[in-house]
Amino acid sequence: MASFEVIGGNKLKGDIHPQGAKNEALQILCAVLLTAEPVTISNIPDIRDVNKLIELLADLGVKVTRESPDTYTFQADDINLDYLKTDSYVAQGRAIRGSVMIMGPLLARFGTCMLPKPGGDKIGRRRMDTHFIGLQKLGATFTYDSQDSFFHIQAPNKLKGTYMLLDEASVTGTANIVMGAVLAEGITTIYNAACEPYLQQLCKMLCRMGAKISGVGSNLLTIEGVEKLGGTEHRMLPDMIEIGSFMGLAAMTGSEITIKNAQIHELGIIPDTFRSLGVKMEFHGDDIYLPAQDHYEIDTYIDGSILTIADQIWPGFTPDLISVALVTATQAKGTVLIHQKMFESRLFFVDKLIDMGAQIILCDPHRATVIGQNRQVPLRGISMTSPDIRAGVALLIAALSAEGRSIIENVEQIDRGYQYIDKRLNAIGADIKRL
């Protein structure tokens, strides 16, 4: 296990370029299974979860050509379905949660798939029901082997279009169902569909491949199935979670940072949410300029009551930035209630922040009250462990703002979602050593 040694207290200064969007990559890469023709994808982040999914696709028979550091061409013209029965596939599938999204494409094109219970962050219950129920409504049948935690999914008579109302607006669930429906017979209508920019990107790419999808960007998708899809080229968005992380980092460390080519129109309410925590920013074209701030103050509601920041389905505030918003509030002036609705274990890293000197009351598994210290009591460096991707980067931000030396163990968790984060931050003045 690797660790970061972080010497805090340095002010950062300079430009930083966000990586390609991790959550988009996991969907887009699975979509290459829908066609036998070449698909070229650019702005792919070089991170653990994405690289593991590319390895899985290659082992499944997809021809993978790396055109440049961030651009790959994939051709799924000779898929080996027998690979799904191997121990190697089981290990790969359980290592990354994104592997679940091979299910829709394989069912649509080949009528069969096997899926080990997927891995991913340990942030609470992450049920799979939306995926399975949606694909069942398209005609797939499922059996689950509780002995080896394996799902066997079949659609020998081809998927058939239908109407469905999803029980939750699951992003990956919607993606799986959309990828199944594009090659299904007839028309599929999906109500309460997720409409995150990642999902919009997937739908736009599928349409360029020949799919017929209307309602993109809304929670009502209508998909007219087609016989086959062709190849295309696709460029992924910059990672909105990384962009939000840099907003919090600038405020916590009092740094002057410019986030380059941020695709601001795709960020939803992320900028305004960080503004509500007192983070100043200016938009210069498609760049976000964050000036150095000695102090920043949390807003209150119009009647003077305490601000609440809660995660919501898109276009609400993304749950992946709740951890960063929480750590940003610790050195602001004022108080905020952080409400993480979706996952009951995502706030369980706040004990580390309390050990660093933050004033936080963990009300229950979903809510924490943060009393900002207005930099009157700086955080102090400690030794800690990264429990998941987003908590890991929140702890890194805390360590960079703290006095003294911090050690962060298990930084492979951070590497799963943030590309060369130590090197990129060191380039603008951070002091992070990988041990």
Side-chain angles (χ1 to χ4, degrees):
M1 291 287 185
S3 305
F4 282 158
E5 179 186 62
V6 183
I7 307 301
N10 294 335
K11 291 199 174 188
L12 316 185
K13 184 179 176 69
D15 297 346
I16 195 157
H17 294 262
Q19 68 187 31
K22 167 188 179 277
N23 290 340
E24 178 186 340
L26 299 177
Q27 299 178 33
I28 295 297
L29 290 171
C30 292
V32 307
L33 293 167
L34 286 164
T35 178
E37 296 183 16
V39 177
T40 300
I41 304 171
S42 59
N43 203 27
I44 296 177
D46 187 4
I47 55 178
R48 288 171 65 92
D49 276 15
V50 169
N51 293 338
K52 283 181 178 292
L53 183 56
I54 292 172
E55 287 174 17
L56 190 157
L57 292 172
D59 290 341
L60 194 53
V62 179
K63 298 181 181 72
V64 179
T65 305
R66 193 170 191 175
E67 312 287 358
S68 71
D70 74 344
T71 302
Y72 290 76
T73 296
F74 302 88
Q75 187 163 9
D77 60 347
D78 187 20
I79 296 300
N80 176 21
L81 294 174
D82 288 336
Y83 182 69
L84 301 176
K85 301 172 184 175
T86 66
D87 291 340
S88 176
Y89 168 66
V90 172
Q92 287 177 314
R94 287 183 176 154
I96 51 169
R97 191 163 186 84
S99 64
V100 70
M101 284 181 287
I102 69 170
M103 184 164 50
L106 289 180
L107 277 178
R109 192 165 159 218
F110 302 105
T112 187
C113 183
M114 295 171 64
L115 192 72
K117 191 173 181 180
D121 285 328
K122 307 304 181 189
I123 53 178
R125 292 177 300 160
R126 306 182 75 179
R127 63 193 185 91
M128 300 280 295
D129 299 54
T130 304
H131 299 252
F132 295 148
I133 292 170
L135 291 169
Q136 279 179 319
K137 288 184 177 178
L138 291 174
T141 59
F142 287 77
T143 55
Y144 177 64
D145 188 337
S146 59
Q147 297 298 315
D148 59 8
S149 298
F150 227 94
F151 299 94
H152 299 261
I153 314 107
Q154 302 292 326
N157 299 318
K158 198 168 183 181
L159 298 176
K160 305 287 195 301
T162 188
Y163 168 85
M164 65 183 78
L165 172 60
L166 301 188
D167 61 332
E168 66 169 349
S170 163
V171 178
T172 54
T174 303
N176 238 338
I177 296 164
V178 166
M179 288 189 281
V182 290
L183 292 179
E185 292 179 353
I187 294 174
T188 301
T189 304
I190 308 171
Y191 202 13
N192 196 29
C195 55
E196 271 77 354
Y198 320 126
L199 204 285
Q200 295 178 42
Q201 285 283 95
L202 172 66
C203 289
K204 290 172 185 175
M205 178 178 127
L206 293 173
C207 288
R208 290 196 302 274
M209 294 168 70
K212 297 179 179 178
I213 308 172
S214 60
V216 177
S218 77
N219 68 346
L220 179 61
L221 295 175
T222 302
I223 303 164
E224 183 181 343
V226 297
E227 283 292 321
K228 67 174 186 175
L229 297 178
T232 191
E233 294 183 0
H234 178 81
R235 182 168 180 80
M236 296 197 309
L237 292 174
D239 195 309
M240 68 169 79
I241 314 303
E242 192 174 67
I243 291 168
S245 301
F246 294 149
M247 292 175 181
L249 171 68
M252 279 287 283
T253 57
S255 299
E256 181 184 350
I257 296 173
T258 299
I259 306 170
K260 303 294 288 184
N261 302 316
Q263 294 273 320
I264 294 166
H265 64 286
E266 299 284 4
L267 295 177
I269 65 168
I270 290 171
D272 284 342
T273 301
F274 280 94
R275 283 186 175 119
S276 74
L277 291 172
V279 182
K280 291 188 171 122
M281 63 187 77
E282 301 168 11
F283 297 158
H284 298 163
D286 213 16
D287 299 342
I288 301 174
Y289 171 69
L290 298 143
Q293 291 180 253
D294 290 330
H295 299 278
Y296 53 105
E297 185 170 352
I298 299 168
D299 289 346
T300 60
Y301 289 116
I302 292 171
D303 64 358
S305 57
I306 291 173
L307 179 72
T308 296
I309 291 179
D311 59 327
Q312 306 277 357
I313 59 172
W314 191 265
F317 189 62
T318 173
D320 281 347
L321 278 171
I322 282 286
S323 301
V324 175
L326 187 151
V327 77
T328 303
T330 62
Q331 288 300 316
K333 179 182 178 183
T335 300
V336 62
L337 176 67
I338 301 291
H339 191 173
Q340 164 58 267
K341 298 176 182 177
M342 192 170 293
F343 301 112
E344 63 270 12
S345 302
R346 198 163 224 168
L347 297 183
F348 286 174
F349 73 102
V350 300
D351 59 325
K352 314 294 193 308
L353 298 177
I354 293 168
D355 288 346
M356 297 177 81
Q359 295 288 300
I360 304 170
I361 302 167
L362 187 60
C363 310
D364 56 47
H366 292 276
R367 296 177 302 157
T369 301
V370 184
I371 299 95
Q373 307 207 65
N374 194 25
R375 301 200 201 280
Q376 297 304 303
V377 184
L379 299 182
R380 56 183 174 270
I382 64 167
S383 293
M384 48 196 158
T385 298
S386 169
D388 65 74
I389 299 175
R390 308 309 175 187
V393 88
L395 293 174
L396 178 59
I397 291 169
L400 287 166
S401 74
E403 290 184 341
R405 173 178 175 268
S406 294
I407 297 291
I408 304 175
E409 306 280 0
N410 193 26
V411 296
E412 284 86 356
Q413 287 286 356
I414 301 173
D415 292 336
R416 287 177 48 216
Y418 293 84
Q419 173 177 293
Y420 317 133
I421 191 66
D422 47 339
K423 294 177 182 176
R424 293 159 68 209
L425 294 180
N426 285 343
I428 58 173
D431 188 348
I432 306 170
K433 185 183 295 182
R434 185 178 290 265
L435 305 178

